[in-house]
Amino acid sequence: MKKFFSIFILTVAFWSCESDVKFSDPGFQGRKDNYAWRADVTTAHFEATDPATDPSEGYLIISAYKGLEVVSLKMPFRIDQGITKFNPEIFTLGPTADVSDDIFVSYEYEDGGFALVYATDPGEYPDGDSVGNAGITINEYDTTEHTVSGTFKFNAKYTGTSTIVNDNVNFQEGVFYHIPLQ
């Protein structure tokens, strides 16, 4: 009887184990206002600032979509330069000594013609308020596969006039992984 009981317990134990693994490759996720946020679709593209003079210098724009929400990251980028975790590209915007005014981050939510737009902006609003802050690190750009990976965080200010919405939106612990450039 003991053998039967032992075999039954082992059978139940192995039967209850399952491997339900979900991969996010490519992936874009973070913590929006302290809640998990994961994009359904993520795109990245390169815009040259002056294609006639230097077609490899411009901006990398990553857009992540989740339902009616869109997160956009824009930063200076050289398409011909490989980036690894040993030589990451780091961009910051905010009240620090090492500030890059060339980055822009936005969060948008639109439903039925009603839109909420939160954004960072290099500079200040007329009333002297902060315009948000951001940090983006590109840890990898594969020049062969044309994929980009990195981390991000930001506080973006509400750009509208409504007084019933939050003043800012906060993303922390953001990660984008193997996003293909189109």
Side-chain angles (χ1 to χ4, degrees), residues 68-176:
L68 303 171
E69 302 171 276
V70 180
V71 174
S72 297
L73 310 175
K74 179 180 178 180
M75 69 224 75
F77 193 70
R78 286 199 61 88
I79 197 90
D80 60 351
Q81 173 184 326
I83 298 171
T84 67
K85 62 184 175 186
F86 300 112
N87 68 335
E89 288 286 328
I90 300 171
F91 305 97
T92 57
L93 173 67
T96 65
D98 182 19
V99 173
S100 171
D101 289 341
D102 292 336
I103 70 171
F104 176 80
V105 177
S106 69
Y107 167 82
E108 300 176 32
Y109 174 85
E110 185 174 345
D111 187 13
F114 179 72
L116 296 176
V117 178
Y118 294 83
T120 62
D121 190 11
E124 289 185 2
Y125 291 126
D127 60 5
D129 278 351
S130 165
V131 293
N133 54 53
I136 303 170
T137 302
I138 299 177
N139 295 327
E140 179 185 8
Y141 172 61
D142 186 338
T143 56
T144 307
E145 298 292 322
H146 298 289
T147 60
V148 63
S149 301
T151 61
F152 68 95
K153 60 183 176 181
F154 67 87
N155 288 303
K157 296 288 185 176
Y158 176 59
T159 60
T161 58
S162 177
T163 58
I164 62 170
V165 298
N166 291 335
D167 292 337
N168 63 20
V169 67
N170 173 267
F171 268 80
Q172 296 295 319
E173 302 171 12
V175 176
F176 51 95

